[in-house]
Amino acid sequence: MTECWVIDDGSSTVPVSSEAVLETLRVRIDSGRLETWLTSSSGRSLAFVTNTERAMVVLLEEEGDPGEHAVDPGTDGSSEGFVLSNGQHDEYPDEDTVPIGEAFRIVEHIVSTGSWPANARWVVDR
């Protein structure tokens, strides 16, 4: 069975295909929603939080899982402006985030195939 993904807004869920996920993320970002959670039919979660230049992408196997996240090894500095849906403003080391274009590519691939792209870099936080 193919894994299906939905945008989880807390009160509703909106199905999203790999073909539509990037446009959905762009619309959400343009409207100021910088945090997006996707939930799969197998119970996994995919978090996408951006400051519009870089993004934190985290894949969780189940609730409570520390997960795994995309990285940009060797990148110095940190970036702020990651605004969560609860209003919290976060700052992350740049090596723990990826450029927005790379984040889009990773999310699209995970929604399409269920796994990280072969040439993406990520770390397991478990």
Side-chain angles (χ1 to χ4, degrees), residues 64-81:
D65 177 30
E68 44 203 51
H69 72 276
V71 294
D72 193 0
T75 305
D76 290 330
S78 62
S79 297
E80 50 189 29

Side-chain angles (χ1 to χ4, degrees), residues 31-76:
S31 68
R33 293 179 289 177
L34 302 180
E35 178 184 14
T36 300
W37 283 87
L38 295 97
T39 305
S40 82
S41 54
S42 68
R44 299 190 308 155
S45 297
L46 180 60
F48 175 92
V49 182
T50 185
N51 67 357
T52 72
E53 293 179 13
R54 300 188 68 82
M56 169 78 69
V57 179
V58 181
L59 181 61
L60 308 169
E61 289 299 319
E62 59 191 26
E63 191 172 326
D65 177 30
E68 44 203 51
H69 72 276
V71 294
D72 193 0
T75 305
D76 290 330

Side-chain angles (χ1 to χ4, degrees), residues 1-46:
M1 179 174 114
T2 303
E3 191 172 31
C4 300
W5 293 85
V6 297
I7 301 288
D8 188 349
D9 276 340
S11 60
S12 67
T13 55
V14 179
V16 66
S17 67
S18 60
E19 296 82 14
V21 71
L22 296 186
E23 181 60 25
T24 301
L25 289 174
R26 286 185 180 105
V27 167
R28 291 175 62 83
I29 292 166
D30 289 347
S31 68
R33 293 179 289 177
L34 302 180
E35 178 184 14
T36 300
W37 283 87
L38 295 97
T39 305
S40 82
S41 54
S42 68
R44 299 190 308 155
S45 297
L46 180 60

Side-chain angles (χ1 to χ4, degrees), residues 34 49-52 79-84 88-92:
L34 302 180
V49 182
T50 185
N51 67 357
T52 72
S79 297
E80 50 189 29
F82 295 88
V83 181
L84 305 182
Q88 179 177 319
H89 290 247
D90 282 350
E91 179 177 337
Y92 300 120

